[in-house]
Amino acid sequence: MSLIGWIDFSPEHRKKIDTILSFFDSPDVVDELGIGTVRDGLSDLLFPGTSTIHTRAKYFLIIPWCIQELERKKKFDNFSSELKKIEVKMIDSLLMAGDEKGIIGKESKSKLQRFPSSIYWNALKRYNILNKNFRGSINDYVRFLKAVEKNKTIASSTRMLKSDKTQDDSSSSNVHLTWMNVPAPPENWQNSLSINLTKEEAVFLKNKIITSCPNTLWELILKDEIEINHFNKIEDLLSLSSVPDKVKGDIMLAVDFNNLMKGAAILYNLLIQKIRSDGFIEDVEDIMNDYLDSIKYYDWSRLNLDVLWGKLPTHPKTKEFISKWMEITKSGNQLSKEAEDLINHRELSIKGRQRSRLHDPANAQRIINYVGISPTEKETYYLGFRFRNVQTIYNDIISGLKNA
């Protein structure tokens, strides 16, 4: 097991590191070969504003309610600590309603380290629930509130807001209108609150996502209320006749990238098992052979990496690695020494010798499960592009729409 030693960073720095570490809680986000920026970029093309650590849709309402409550009480001096207190209180409030699924902090409660407000903050901005023209962090928002409270001029108070004459609130003279028509919370919400959406809340959230994510798969499935629980992967959605060409292109780009890099991930696992004293080499070889059979007639010409780079800013070293792996894949040499050397070098450049599993047998020996891939009887899953998380948020919204 890896050991992490903490330096005494500031709370804000520590929070950033905690968030980064949380990404590794799910096999869908393991990034041993440094392709995370491409994976995340493709996920954002398909499902903007989503995250692997989003658990339930209700938090898109709960967080504004918590912050608005502090605004009404004008608790600006200790805003961060007061916000944490009310967020911890909301854990018990949500648990009181009976549905525990996806409640953040249901186990840790007062010891909660990653708070919903930090987890959902960027999405609140992305969906224009918090005025999309607000540029900053929660700390920036607190400073903004303090500026307003001290009766600074409108121009001074709104420097952190982009100038946008087309903003839909038409309220440049009222700097308090940063939360965009969020439905009011129910009575006694701080003592008992359902994690499920009401119809009003579901309509609000659905409209916010649709209007802020045009020409995306996320907009399409919400707008048409496509029953996505019938689909296991994003590529299954290509069977729908309602998918526009632009969205279809984004899906195909993600699918092709997944199929390309899956081979690199399987080879990485195979190399680890060859190093381990009791490695399950044959099992991974079977996975690799199944993968090679599945792509035997794959049309790699449709995966244009220049198109990928044009859509997603990508580090030159990452481009180089992916391009070289594509050359190896096209030539059918995924099990060659060239391929092994490329994977070895890439992991070493990403993790360093001390953390590398391919250069330190002790690190490899500690690996019991597969790394970054999820083999099943039918196939091996690699990149999910947040589809599981999207299904959860989607189901919450659709269930809310059906409420009376």
Side-chain angles (χ1 to χ4, degrees):
M1 183 175 182
S2 300
L3 298 177
I4 299 176
W6 288 111
I7 300 173
D8 189 17
F9 292 118
S10 68
E12 189 169 352
H13 195 152
R14 174 67 178 271
K15 184 186 295 183
K16 288 180 180 178
I17 295 175
D18 280 342
T19 301
I20 292 169
L21 291 177
S22 74
F23 286 12
F24 295 89
D25 291 342
S26 165
D28 188 40
V29 292
V30 171
D31 184 28
E32 302 294 331
L33 298 176
I35 63 167
T37 54
V38 181
R39 173 206 61 213
D40 292 344
L42 288 168
S43 300
D44 288 337
L45 280 177
L46 299 167
F47 306 114
T50 58
S51 169
T52 57
I53 51 177
H54 288 170
T55 59
R56 299 296 295 268
K58 189 79 166 193
Y59 285 105
F60 289 106
L61 286 301
I62 293 173
I63 297 163
W65 293 340
C66 291
I67 293 176
Q68 288 174 324
E69 179 70 13
L70 295 180
E71 290 181 37
R72 279 191 288 269
K73 294 180 178 179
K74 302 186 185 302
K75 292 189 175 183
F76 304 137
D77 290 336
N78 300 305
F79 191 92
S80 295
S81 60
E82 292 294 333
L83 179 57
K84 288 180 181 178
K85 286 179 184 178
I86 194 170
E87 288 186 83
V88 168
K89 184 179 180 182
M90 289 310 304
I91 298 171
D92 289 329
S93 174
L94 291 166
L95 291 173
M96 282 289 291
D99 185 356
E100 297 185 4
K101 183 182 177 182
I103 294 179
I104 298 171
K106 63 182 177 183
E107 302 294 338
S108 54
K109 294 192 175 180
S110 62
K111 296 180 180 178
L112 182 64
Q113 295 296 310
R114 296 187 299 272
F115 287 80
S117 55
S118 64
I119 292 172
Y120 283 78
W121 187 257
N122 286 334
L124 290 170
K125 292 188 291 182
R126 181 64 179 80
Y127 297 150
N128 198 27
I129 296 172
L130 172 63
N131 190 317
K132 65 183 178 182
N133 298 309
F134 188 85
R135 307 169 74 117
S137 65
I138 295 179
N139 289 335
D140 293 325
Y141 185 75
V142 176
R143 286 191 284 270
F144 170 74
L145 292 177
K146 287 181 178 179
V148 173
E149 183 63 18
K150 290 179 180 178
N151 296 317
K152 290 190 175 180
T153 63
I154 297 297
S156 175
S157 300
T158 56
R159 281 174 185 166
M160 284 177 283
L161 296 178
K162 292 180 181 177
S163 176
D164 185 355
K165 295 181 180 179
T166 64
Q167 59 185 3
D168 57 10
D169 62 66
S170 302
S171 58
S172 60
S173 62
N174 189 342
V175 293
H176 284 286
L177 291 180
T178 49
W179 297 102
M180 307 299 290
N181 304 314
V182 175
E187 292 184 13
N188 202 36
W189 64 281
Q190 292 187 55
N191 295 314
S192 180
L193 179 68
S194 172
I195 194 68
N196 300 308
L197 295 173
T198 65
K199 184 171 185 177
E200 180 189 13
E201 294 162 0
V203 169
F204 166 80
L205 186 53
K206 176 187 175 182
N207 289 338
K208 281 296 180 183
I209 295 174
I210 288 174
T211 56
S212 61
C213 303
N215 303 313
T216 66
L217 181 56
W218 200 193
E219 179 211 22
L220 174 70
I221 61 178
L222 271 178
K223 190 174 183 179
D224 293 354
E225 296 186 13
I226 296 169
E227 183 47 77
I228 60 173
N229 294 319
H230 294 160
F231 303 98
N232 294 320
K233 303 165 294 182
I234 59 168
E235 60 203 84
D236 297 336
L237 293 163
L238 289 170
S239 63
L240 298 173
S241 59
S242 59
V243 180
D245 289 342
K246 188 270 179 188
V247 175
K248 186 177 293 184
D250 289 342
I251 296 174
M252 291 178 66
L253 191 62
V255 170
D256 289 340
F257 181 76
N258 175 55
N259 284 328
L260 173 68
M261 300 312 299
K262 188 189 295 184
I266 297 172
L267 179 57
Y268 177 66
N269 278 270
L270 179 58
L271 295 176
I272 289 174
Q273 296 311 315
K274 286 182 176 180
I275 294 171
R276 296 178 72 242
S277 61
D278 54 350
F280 33 98
I281 298 173
E282 291 184 2
D283 291 343
V284 186
E285 285 179 337
D286 287 342
I287 294 171
M288 177 59 90
N289 289 331
D290 288 342
Y291 165 74
L292 293 177
D293 284 342
S294 72
I295 64 164
K296 189 176 294 183
Y297 303 107
Y298 208 88
D299 182 11
W300 294 112
S301 64
R302 74 182 192 187
L303 177 55
N304 187 333
L305 293 183
D306 287 334
V307 172
L308 185 64
W309 311 145
K311 288 177 177 285
L312 309 174
T314 308
H315 192 280
K317 291 292 185 183
T318 302
K319 288 184 181 180
E320 181 182 5
F321 168 65
I322 294 171
S323 298
K324 286 184 177 179
W325 182 257
M326 186 165 184
E327 292 173 7
I328 288 172
T329 299
K330 282 183 173 181
S331 61
N333 293 323
Q334 293 95 326
L335 294 174
S336 65
K337 185 179 184 302
E338 179 189 8
E340 292 185 3
D341 289 346
L342 179 63
I343 298 299
N344 269 282
H345 182 267
R346 180 60 177 174
E347 193 220 25
L348 184 62
S349 67
I350 293 295
K351 303 175 71 174
R353 188 169 296 275
Q354 188 174 2
R355 294 175 55 242
S356 168
R357 293 178 173 127
L358 301 182
H359 293 81
D360 188 336
N363 289 337
Q365 190 62 37
R366 285 190 284 267
I367 300 301
I368 300 174
N369 300 314
Y370 297 105
V371 179
I373 58 174
S374 301
T376 67
E377 290 185 3
K378 293 184 178 180
E379 66 178 292
T380 295
Y381 292 89
Y382 182 39
L383 303 177
F385 303 106
R386 307 178 193 150
F387 191 47
R388 288 177 298 175
N389 305 86
V390 167
Q391 285 176 314
T392 298
I393 303 301
Y394 172 89
N395 289 333
D396 279 350
I397 295 173
I398 297 302
S399 295
L401 292 174
K402 294 176 181 178
N403 287 330

